Amino acid sequence: MYDFVIVGAGLFGAVFAREMTDAGYKCLLIDQRDHIGGNVYTEKVEGIDVHKYGAHIFHTNDKRIWEYVNKFAEFNHYINKPKVRYKDRIYSFPINLMTLYQIYGVTTPKEAEEKLNEIRLPIDEPANLEEWILSQVGPELYELFIKGYTFKQWQKHPKDLPSFIIKRLPIRLNFEENYFEDSYQGIPKNGYTAMVENMLEGIEVRLNENYFDNKSYYDNLGKQLVYTGKIDEFFNYEFGELEYRSLRFESKVLDGNYQGNAVFNYTDIEVPYTRVLEHKHFNFGNQKKTVVTWEYPDSYTKGKVPYYPINDAKNSNIYKLYEAKTKDLPNIIFGGRLAEYKYYDMHQIVGSALSKAKSIKLKLAE
Ligand code: UDP
């Protein structure tokens, strides 16, 4: 008998399993995929760690979380500095003094501020993503950097999207090009898969196992279930399906150095992909070969990978109904991006798995 049967060997499941195992509890992890790590999974191709489910850059302000992941992997000093490609031009991004110099020729923070004051639209209470960005940077920058990309990514007009999606992007009056503002940032030197493998050392994992195919078997195998899959699926879609955005990747192995940077954002609506990744640059690689991935936004249907929860009013209301049902099942732990239907980053997942494990340990010790 296991103390915990954990459905999903992604980051939440792995951290939770590590913590409970170290506290003396017996854990079993199962995953329907043929690999561990969930969407942080990386695969070695030509000696390069390929981010199979899109770019994953670990960043956090929380020293405790940073020290925790560093126990399982040595991190490099990668800082995310994506470039934007719009038609035949390349721009510095997120919008900063270099971008404003490239577009308007302004050379100092004061000149840039004056320019922004001139081009911003006076919208007192921005009601959506489009209005918010227009109130910050005006129509030209909106067109160059945001409109096409956001429309492609979400398949919705920015007028119909909440502004929180974009508020994570800074607008800076200095030359800093770091995408993130956190104190700690990097990528495991040997890939995320090795990091998760280290977390799972000595813990039993069964791959290619779909929980729903053998639900009662797994429910009876452990004292407590930890579920990290889709919440609507767990409740058999009783209140309807939650919506997601999906992604589709096309990769090629090429010679040399394709684009000179790990990430290029393609913001032009005419280009069907949103990002081009060149994986070796995530780890300062100088291999002779290179692996390049074109990232296309994709609609989600059952069977595809659910990447982004769509936290609009309609889906949030459906989620609340499922969440209320979880309260009737106090013996089951629900955690992670899919079970909590939240646009979590990796550090938030680690943080939430650590606090969940801590509270369960306290409860069990009572
Ligand atoms: N975004 C944009 N242009 C860009 C990059 C991002 O308009 O070049 C917008 C887009 O709406 C996106 C949001 O900002 O969904 C958040 O971007 P981020 O890069 O944080 O998204 P993620 O890495 O999670 O895909």
Side-chain angles (χ1 to χ4, degrees):
M1 184 82 169
Y2 296 92
D3 293 299
F4 294 94
V5 170
I6 301 165
V7 180
L11 210 45
F12 187 96
V15 170
F16 187 87
R18 178 77 270 147
E19 286 304 285
M20 300 319 288
T21 304
D22 288 350
Y25 297 99
K26 195 171 168 207
C27 297
L28 169 70
L29 264 121
I30 62 167
D31 200 294
Q32 61 180 348
R33 289 177 173 170
D34 61 2
H35 61 74
I36 56 167
N39 285 357
V40 313
Y41 174 71
T42 49
E43 186 178 273
K44 299 242 188 247
V45 178
E46 303 285 346
I48 299 163
D49 287 308
V50 174
H51 295 218
K52 284 294 272 191
Y53 302 93
H56 281 79
I57 299 130
F58 201 97
H59 57 93
T60 180
N61 255 329
D62 190 326
K63 193 160 182 246
R64 183 188 60 116
I65 291 176
W66 182 241
E67 285 173 351
Y68 187 81
V69 292
N70 274 269
K71 289 202 291 187
F72 304 101
E74 192 184 339
F75 278 70
N76 68 19
H77 61 285
Y78 180 83
I79 299 284
N80 195 29
K81 295 180 180 178
K83 301 284 167 272
V84 158
R85 175 91 190 214
Y86 181 89
K87 302 202 192 287
D88 57 354
R89 308 276 304 164
I90 291 172
Y91 297 98
S92 175
F93 195 72
I95 296 170
N96 68 80
L97 201 40
M98 182 56 84
T99 327
L100 296 169
Y101 167 70
Q102 289 172 322
I103 298 166
Y104 299 112
V106 292
T107 55
T108 62
K110 187 162 176 284
E111 282 175 25
E113 184 143 33
E114 283 165 7
K115 190 73 201 175
L116 283 179
N117 285 337
E118 187 189 312
I119 58 182
R120 277 186 182 124
L121 297 191
I123 301 172
D124 286 342
E125 283 182 26
N128 54 54
L129 195 157
E130 179 177 81
E131 287 185 7
W132 188 81
I133 200 78
L134 287 173
S135 76
Q136 300 295 306
V137 297
E140 190 176 6
L141 298 180
Y142 168 58
E143 169 66 33
L144 272 178
F145 296 110
I146 310 298
K147 193 177 174 186
Y149 187 101
T150 299
F151 190 82
K152 288 191 284 186
Q153 170 80 354
W154 298 97
Q155 286 299 305
K156 276 193 181 152
H157 195 282
K159 265 194 264 197
D160 301 320
L161 288 165
S163 50
F164 82 83
I165 290 177
I166 206 162
K167 284 188 176 160
R168 56 201 252 142
L169 302 187
I171 297 161
R172 300 195 183 112
L173 293 185
N174 57 39
F175 288 103
E176 180 57 63
E177 292 184 301
N178 183 352
Y179 207 66
F180 304 114
E181 312 226 301
D182 292 339
S183 314
Y184 309 100
Q185 186 171 173
I187 292 175
K189 284 185 177 174
N190 195 24
Y192 285 98
T193 304
M195 176 183 89
V196 177
E197 259 163 25
N198 287 338
M199 284 178 176
L200 294 178
E201 208 187 302
I203 299 172
E204 188 182 340
V205 180
R206 296 185 195 170
L207 297 174
N208 303 303
E209 281 288 299
N210 186 326
Y211 165 70
F212 295 104
D213 289 347
N214 285 307
K215 190 174 178 318
S216 55
Y217 167 75
Y218 284 113
D219 287 346
N220 292 320
L221 208 56
K223 293 183 193 150
Q224 252 191 297
L225 187 77
V226 181
Y227 179 79
T228 72
K230 284 171 59 193
I231 186 80
D232 52 356
E233 188 174 10
F234 187 87
F235 291 110
N236 211 10
Y237 304 102
E238 184 179 333
F239 302 118
E241 284 180 39
L242 288 164
E243 292 175 301
Y244 295 88
R245 291 290 303 148
S246 192
L247 298 171
R248 189 168 60 78
F249 297 102
E250 277 175 20
S251 295
K252 279 189 188 155
V253 179
L254 302 170
D255 289 324
N257 183 357
Y258 178 75
Q259 62 181 13
N261 205 43
V263 184
F264 261 82
N265 291 0
Y266 281 74
T267 55
D268 180 354
I269 189 84
E270 303 298 333
V271 175
Y273 38 87
T274 44
R275 279 191 275 225
V276 177
L277 312 179
E278 188 171 10
H279 301 268
K280 70 179 176 187
H281 297 305
F282 285 121
N283 202 18
F284 311 99
N286 49 17
Q287 292 88 345
K288 285 206 173 67
K289 294 278 181 190
T290 192
V291 184
V292 182
T293 299
W294 287 260
E295 179 177 322
Y296 295 82
D298 197 7
S299 55
Y300 172 76
T301 47
K302 270 190 223 167
K304 289 188 191 172
V305 178
Y307 284 92
Y308 298 96
I310 301 181
N311 294 109
D312 60 8
K314 177 182 156 209
N315 287 290
S316 303
N317 286 333
I318 297 177
Y319 171 68
K320 276 187 203 136
L321 299 172
Y322 287 121
E323 191 192 18
K325 282 207 74 137
T326 66
K327 305 277 185 269
D328 302 333
L329 301 168
N331 205 35
I332 301 181
I333 296 155
F334 294 88
R337 200 186 253 216
L338 299 178
E340 295 183 54
Y341 197 63
K342 249 197 207 140
Y343 189 2
Y344 271 136
D345 286 336
M346 286 182 285
H347 63 288
Q348 294 166 319
I349 288 288
V350 173
S352 107
L354 286 175
S355 27
K356 200 42 146 197
K358 191 173 171 190
S359 70
I360 302 285
K361 279 187 262 181
L362 285 172
K363 211 162 117 194
L364 290 175
E366 269 168 16

